[in-house]
Structure formats: C-alpha cells, structure tokens
Amino acid sequence: MSDVDIILNKLKNSTKDIEFLKELNECLEKRMSLSDAMSIYENKIVRYTEEFLKAKNEFGINYITGISTCIYLPSKDNKNDYTYTIIGGTRSRNSNEKINQSTLFDVASITKLFTLILLLRLNDLGLIDLNAKICDINPDFQNLEDYTLYDLMRLHGVLKTKKEVEYNNRYTAYENLKTLYLEDNSRDKNNYNDYGALVIANTIEKIMSEKLKTKVKYKDILNMFVLYPLDMMKTTYNPETINVAGNANSLSLPHDPKTKALGGVSGSAGIFTNSKELCLLAKDIINAKNNKGIVISKKMLDTLGEVTFPNDLDSNKGNLGLFIKHPGGLAMSYVPDEFSPGSFASQGWTGSVATFDPTKRIHQNILVNAIYNSSNETLVKNDKPKGYHVEFKKYQNKITKCTIKMKFIQEIYSLIDDKNENIEKTSLLN
C-alpha cells in the first residue's frame, strides 16, 4: 500500500465529510495540479468572504467594510508551499477607498504577540533577565513591589493606575502611567490587562539604551531584533502611508486610546501590518518547531503555546494575552478545534485575529475594518457593531474547514511528488 493510500484510508476513517472525499478522489482521478485542486476551496473562501462583507446586523450595520484573509500552508519539503490571500471592501466606513495588498491594518492587541516575542528573544540572547524585579531595572515603576518581567508576561495580579492614561497628551499620559500600582499582587491566575505590556516595552527601552550606551526607542529595538531579521519591512508603528484600515481614523494613529495618548507606540497596541507580513512571522514560528527559526527558538515557541493556568476558569489563556487551543474550540478560544495542541492565536480589539499551528504547519490571519464609532450603546459593543463577535466566529469556522481540507490536499500532493512550485495566489473581491 502506497503512502497516498495510507493517508486516504486514514482520512476516510477520520472524517464523515463525504463531499470532501468525493472532491479529493475527483482531483486525483483527473490528475489535477495542486493549484487546480486548491481552487475548489479558494472558490468557497471567496463566497464566504463576500457573505461576511455583505452581512449586516439587526440594525442594518455592516459588521465589516474591509477584509484581508490569508491562509499559509508551508510544506515540509518547501516544494509545495501554499499561500492564498483574499482581499475586499473599503478602508473605512466613510470612504470608497479600496483595500489592496499593501493596506496596513491596525491590529491592536496583536501587538502584544510582537512584544512577547521581543521579550523572549532578548531573554534568549542574555540581554534581559525575566526574573529581574521591575523596581530594580526601571525606576519609573516603583509601586510594582517585587513583581518581575516574568510576572507581567504571565499577567499576574491586578494592575491599576491612580490617574487615567487615556485621552491625554504624551507627557501627561506617561506621567499618569507611572502611577501604576498593584491592587492585587497574587500570582494564582491570569488577569488580562494592557498595563503589563506597556511596562515591558518601556523597560526594554531603558535596559537596551543602557546596554547600547545610547538612547534607543522601543520601535527601533523591535525592528532590530524581530521585524528586520524576518524581512517584515512594512510592519510598523505610526505608518507614513494613508493606506491603512481598522483604526477608524485617517491619521495613521491606532484606535487604542492608551497607545494613541502615548504617541502611537506601546507594547500593548499600535502595530500596523498586513497579511503577507504576518505570513513571514508565521514561517519563523513554524520553523521554530524544528529549531530552524531565525528569531524564534524552540524554547520561545513552547512559551508562546503555553497555557499559563490550566486549572483556572480562563484555561484558554497564555502569556501576555495569547489564546491557546482549548477543548471548547472556537467557542472558548480563537484557536479552532481542528488545530493541534500548543497552537495559539492573537486577537485584537479592532477585530483582527492571527492563528498559528506549528505542528500541522498552518497559519491563518483575518484582518478587518470593523470599528464602528458610535455613542449609541444599543448599536455597538466593544466599538464594533452589535453581533460582530458571533458573526466573526462563524466566518472563522468556515475558513478553518476549508483550510484543513487544503492541508490534506497539500500533504497528498507532496507524497505523489507532483513537482508543483510554491503557490502564492491573491483574489480581489472588488
């Protein structure tokens, strides 16, 4: 029995999706190329994405006006790598400017994934000690008692400021951030907040400025140790282009009020990126599984996929706010049930999600323009149209079903050595 037959038999025993089995057999019988076989599911993704773009809630408000969805499936032999991106809609709710491949999305708290990677990278290189007390290495935050970078990474305790950070000028916002204190200094559960990431970024800036013996900004450190080594040259804070989406303003400033007050750069939000750039990050995350990452080591990868408190009510949470695969699937996490243990996702307030499965070698990102500015709380929830969360999960579930089938096809075509070149496709809905 050939390797292909073994996989087909395994698939037949593990799925009740008769339609998929028929489609797969047809692809093989007709000797379709990998590209043609994948197009069956690309067409379904186009339909699902069009439906999501057109969908309105009970108040007649579109859930989103623009989207860039990407599926990246690197193969084990690098001969049949596959990338598919679908783009459509407009950059904002009050303009007709179209989303394109270069549009940068305000991804909000997905920024925390980059902050976490940078923190772990600097620790790997021996430039930062995760067990160092914040009050010893950053004089601006003396009220954090004996808390360390490790505590902030794991979201221990309850952090509060005595004065509001949001809606101030940069100087006042930072002075107010310095009033940060521990309302609860427990270390027994994950308490999601933005403040830990803000302090981590500021502390990294102070430590690296000392080590380099010159003032260096946080965004430059991120560029130096993470973005530029991965060729992520477009991912940035405060983009100079007006070709941006997701932030609900035209100033290339983030939607997040704390980060906006701090000048657009923070460890918790502020990054603008696109689907193609996230695939570059995903490639390194997936390669790290076999110790082949450029930036991310196997040790770092284990931390990215770690459930911080498995016995807690929030057992779907990981370090610095990452969502980890959970038995409840998408109902409890942004990681689909079909993904492997150790898979993780980063989700932002603006509505976007990036998901990574290093074991099955799958990456999905869904970047959206969902923000709907309104003071009418009947219409909005978390700055997005009412019902957005449910509709997004439905869409993510449909995309995942297609992705898993495409992964099976990719693996089978790799076994039959169809000699396909790496495939990169983009569909435009406009």
Side-chain angles (χ1 to χ4, degrees), residues 118 217-230 232-233 235-237:
L118 177 59
K217 296 180 179 179
Y218 176 74
K219 64 179 181 179
D220 296 324
I221 302 168
L222 183 66
N223 287 340
M224 189 186 311
F225 287 94
V226 178
L227 299 182
Y228 290 174
L230 298 180
M232 298 179 69
M233 309 301 286
T235 299
T236 186
Y237 290 97

Side-chain angles (χ1 to χ4, degrees), residues 71-133:
I71 296 167
Y72 171 55
L73 306 173
S75 60
K76 292 180 181 178
D77 58 8
N78 294 318
K79 291 181 180 178
N80 291 313
D81 286 7
Y82 171 82
T83 308
Y84 180 63
T85 309
I86 181 165
I87 298 166
T90 59
R91 299 204 308 252
S92 66
R93 291 182 182 272
N94 55 5
S95 81
N96 294 318
E97 296 160 329
K98 302 294 186 182
I99 298 287
N100 58 44
Q101 294 182 64
S102 299
T103 301
L104 297 176
F105 287 79
D106 175 8
V107 294
S109 283
I110 293 177
T111 300
K112 292 183 178 72
L113 172 60
F114 291 91
T115 302
L116 178 58
I117 289 171
L118 177 59
L119 177 66
L120 296 174
R121 176 63 172 161
L122 294 175
N123 179 67
D124 254 15
L125 295 172
L127 296 171
I128 276 182
D129 179 5
L130 294 182
N131 294 313
K133 293 180 184 178

